[in-house]
């Protein structure tokens, strides 16, 4: 299966043109897609409902959207009728196989006076390709500094650790089986997981150490068998190599359960893409 992650910069391409069709063309071949900077009803991008637009451009994908910025954008029509509408900005997960459940978690935010500080989050989707349940997480971490990202990483690691213990979106029985609460099968909450997104961090950073493990001067990266591995490295690349943003370096990542490390077949960066200021990343996983 092909997994992809792309910070789409709300559809604004390298040529200064907003074009969601171009975004869809660059990623539609992937089976599971994690998108960041997806907006709804912003003037800068033409008041488009991007999740709805992308879902129609890729109708073979199921999808969920996790708004992290959520403000009023309502208006009254010509007859004075209130049209309730939200101006939103967040992440989106698309999948060719059904999304069995989803949750959206807010991440720590620092209130600032001068610098732009926005609410960010991590979106969870549970899928089961080939009857192999898998948690997919999509996030976009703070662009400001290590001090704003590390609390977000700690919060995510706590979510990752607790989720299998908490169980699926619903679990257990109900005293009244006919009440409707136990409709359908219990959604799984598996141990295997994948985190994709614009993490705004480089492999030589303290944040990378916290996510993957410290680096021994003589023995390399200390990856825990119960922790996360870098799919880029699993695919045979060097940590320091690669770039997903022409001005910054390799800041868009795919991290996955160390138990899945041997199933990574390839990791490529779509540096020919023109739909955003970032490049999309593509991971071939044998699952």
């Amino acid at each position: 299966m092909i997994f992809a992650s792309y910070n789409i910069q709300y559809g604004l391409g390298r040529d200064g043109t907003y074009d969601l069709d171009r975004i869809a063309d660059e990623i539609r071949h992937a089976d599971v897609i994690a998108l960041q900077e997806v907006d709804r009803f912003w003037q800068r991008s033409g008041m488009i409902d991007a999740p709805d637009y992308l879902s129609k451009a890729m109708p073979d994908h199921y999808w969920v959207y996790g708004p992290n910025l959520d403000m009023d954008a309502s208006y009254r029509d010509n007859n004075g009728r209130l049209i309730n509408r939200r101006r939103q900005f967040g992440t989106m997960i698309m999948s060719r196989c059904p999304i069995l459940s989803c949750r959206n978690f807010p991440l720590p935010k620092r209130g600032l006076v001068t610098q732009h500080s926005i609410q960010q989050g991590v979106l969870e989707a549970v899928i089961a390709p080939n009857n192999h349940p898998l948690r997919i997480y999509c996030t976009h971490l703070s662009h400001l500094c290590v001090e704003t990202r590390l609390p977000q990483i700690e919060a995510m690691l706590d979510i990752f650790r607790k989720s299998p213990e908490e169980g699926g979106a619903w679990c257990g029985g109900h005293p009244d089986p006919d009440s409707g609460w136990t409709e359908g099968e219990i959604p799984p909450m598996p141990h295997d997981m994948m985190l994709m997104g614009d993490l705004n961090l480089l492999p030589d950073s303290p944040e990378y150490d916290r996510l993957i493990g410290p680096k021994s001067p003589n023995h390399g990266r200390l990856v825990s068998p119960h922790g996360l591995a870098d799919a880029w490295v699993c695919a045979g690349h060097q940590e320091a190599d690669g770039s997903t943003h022409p001005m910054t370096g390799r800041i868009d990542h795919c991290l996955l359960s160390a138990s899945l490390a041997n199933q990574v077949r390839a990791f490529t960066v779509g540096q020919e893409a023109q739909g955003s200021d970032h490049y999309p990343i593509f991971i071939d996983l044998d699952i």
Side-chain angles (χ1 to χ4, degrees), residues 115-118 120 140-146 148-149 152 198-200:
Q115 297 82 4
H116 191 53
S117 178
I118 66 172
Q120 288 154 310
H140 181 195
L141 299 185
S142 170
H143 68 287
L144 291 169
C145 61
V146 59
T148 54
R149 285 187 292 274
Q152 296 177 337
D198 176 4
L199 305 188
N200 272 313

Side-chain angles (χ1 to χ4, degrees), residues 206-279:
E207 306 99 290
Y208 186 88
D209 290 351
R210 184 66 186 96
L211 284 164
I212 305 298
K215 191 170 185 179
S216 166
N218 299 318
H219 304 286
R221 185 69 59 183
L222 306 181
V223 178
S224 165
H226 302 292
L228 297 174
D230 186 342
W232 176 258
V233 177
C234 297
H237 304 287
Q238 296 298 311
E239 279 184 4
D241 292 344
S243 176
T244 64
H245 189 284
M247 303 298 293
T248 310
R250 189 165 71 89
I251 60 173
D252 300 87
H253 297 270
C254 172
L255 311 180
L256 73 175
S257 298
S259 57
L260 298 174
N262 292 332
Q263 295 170 231
V264 178
R265 298 290 172 253
F267 191 131
T268 57
V269 180
Q271 294 192 344
E272 73 288 346
Q274 298 295 314
S276 171
D277 59 337
H278 287 246
Y279 303 131

Side-chain angles (χ1 to χ4, degrees), residues 192-203:
D192 285 345
M193 59 155 287
M194 178 183 291
L195 170 68
M196 294 185 285
D198 176 4
L199 305 188
N200 272 313
L201 59 90
L202 294 168

Side-chain angles (χ1 to χ4, degrees), residues 96-109:
R96 291 191 193 274
C97 58
I99 297 172
L100 305 178
S101 66
C102 78
R103 298 183 293 177
N104 195 40
F105 301 89
L107 294 177
K109 174 183 176 293

